[in-house]
Amino acid sequence: MAQERGQYIPGTAGLNSGIQAPEGFTYANLFIWYPSTKFKNQNGDTSALNFDLDLLADLNLFAYTTKAKFLGANVGMSVAVPIVNTPISLPNLGANVSPTGIADIYFEPINLGWKGKRADTKLAYGFIAPTGKFDSVGTDTTTTDYWGHQITLASTIYLEKTKLTQFSFSTNWEFHHKKRHEDVKVGNNMTLEAGVGKIFVKNGGKQLLQFGGVGYAEFQLTKDSGSGVPLLTADNKDRVFAIGPEFGVILPTKKLSFMVRVLPEFGARNRTQGVTVAVGLVKSF
């Protein structure tokens, strides 16, 4: 049985999503685990599909923020190299295969970051190249098999002068090309992510602990099209919601941070419904 998600993994952004990487080089590793055994149909009922999905994705992000300014914002760029055990778009469920390898690489040639007294804002354009493996049988495929474009607008708003309480939101807009090896064009997506967090200062500011609640809502904006679209999801758009906690540790003097977020999904339509678990480590140089 085939079904398609977009190329962006909801739950990637959370607290601090509007903050651009500091000037210089930054490396981030984001490990995502998405288990699911449920497929929700158009009415929200669980379909009689027997599958046990475990999507594993390890995203390696390399970011560089320059001192150059454009419209008052710092100019930056980044690239993300994911290692996965199945295509992020989940084209097959119940196939009893688990290919492992480099998936489609995300290139972000420009991002702009504005820093204000009460808010940080980030605007970015990036594209995903189908660099992963393609196998005509489908047993060794790690690519979504199509090009995609993404526009991201995010902001972190500080609710007090100390900046210890924040509200963050991020919107990601996906625009997809037709698949290279199938007559399928996956519909465009929009993902909204938001969270409210509080920072607690420890050890004279050497350690910061951050707690908060985060969530996401992903909507398919246009229907899948082409002769290869499965009957189960044809003429229907998918959606899903999730909400859960996030915990982080920030070490300012070492330019190091760690976070974990757990997001159980609900309200899914025409797609899997599971739990997104994200663990991240960020180091700036």
Side-chain angles (χ1 to χ4, degrees):
M1 198 288 296
Q3 70 100 30
E4 296 281 353
R5 303 195 333 177
Q7 294 173 312
Y8 179 79
I9 303 178
T12 299
L15 301 178
N16 312 315
S17 59
I19 301 176
Q20 185 187 43
E23 290 183 6
F25 178 75
T26 295
Y27 168 75
N29 184 274
L30 182 64
F31 177 80
I32 294 178
W33 174 42
Y34 179 79
S36 174
T37 58
K38 295 180 181 179
F39 186 93
K40 296 291 185 174
N41 63 19
Q42 176 66 17
N43 299 319
D45 300 322
T46 302
S47 298
L49 299 174
N50 184 19
F51 69 94
D52 188 358
L53 169 70
D54 277 291
L55 167 63
L56 302 175
D58 187 64
L59 306 179
N60 297 274
L61 175 68
F62 306 88
Y64 182 71
T65 302
T66 71
K67 295 182 179 180
K69 297 282 188 177
F70 179 73
L71 299 178
N74 277 83
V75 179
M77 61 203 71
S78 67
V79 60
V81 181
I83 300 173
V84 301
N85 70 331
T86 190
I88 288 173
S89 60
L90 301 179
N92 295 293
L93 295 176
N96 197 29
V97 294
S98 185
T100 301
I102 294 176
D104 300 337
I105 297 176
Y106 173 74
F107 297 91
E108 191 171 277
I110 185 169
N111 61 66
L112 302 174
W114 289 268
K115 293 179 173 58
K117 292 182 179 180
R118 299 303 292 266
D120 284 5
T121 301
K122 184 171 64 177
L123 176 65
Y125 162 75
F127 64 91
I128 290 183
T131 53
K133 295 183 293 183
F134 176 80
D135 173 30
S136 59
V137 179
T139 58
D140 199 33
T141 296
T142 61
T143 179
T144 62
D145 199 35
Y146 59 89
W147 291 80
H149 303 270
Q150 296 186 14
I151 297 174
T152 303
L153 174 64
S155 185
T156 294
I157 300 168
Y158 305 106
L159 304 181
E160 54 189 3
K161 291 183 179 180
T162 61
K163 297 186 177 183
L164 296 179
T165 306
Q166 324 85 17
F167 168 73
S168 296
F169 73 89
S170 175
T171 56
N172 180 278
W173 300 78
E174 295 181 64
F175 305 93
H176 305 145
H177 290 246
K178 182 179 175 294
K179 285 197 171 192
R180 298 174 300 167
H181 298 91
E182 295 180 70
D183 184 22
V184 174
K185 184 177 184 297
V186 178
N188 300 328
N189 281 17
M190 189 277 285
T191 304
L192 171 64
E193 299 173 86
V196 177
K198 175 73 174 181
I199 292 177
F200 299 88
V201 180
K202 301 293 182 181
N203 231 356
K206 293 182 179 179
Q207 293 101 29
L208 306 176
L209 303 181
Q210 188 173 37
F211 296 88
V214 295
Y216 61 75
E218 184 181 52
F219 300 94
Q220 188 176 2
L221 303 177
T222 59
K223 298 177 182 178
D224 296 347
S225 60
S227 61
V229 177
L231 293 177
L232 181 64
T233 55
D235 297 323
N236 293 320
K237 301 174 186 176
D238 63 57
R239 75 170 201 203
V240 73
F241 305 95
I243 190 169
E246 178 174 332
F247 168 71
V249 178
I250 305 169
L251 306 176
T253 58
K254 296 184 178 180
K255 298 182 179 181
L256 182 68
S257 64
F258 167 85
M259 76 80 199
V260 58
R261 65 178 70 104
V262 181
L263 295 159
E265 292 183 330
F266 62 94
R269 297 292 187 272
N270 300 304
R271 55 158 286 159
T272 56
Q273 180 172 291
V275 180
T276 299
V277 180
V279 180
L281 179 70
V282 181
K283 170 65 177 175
S284 296
F285 300 90

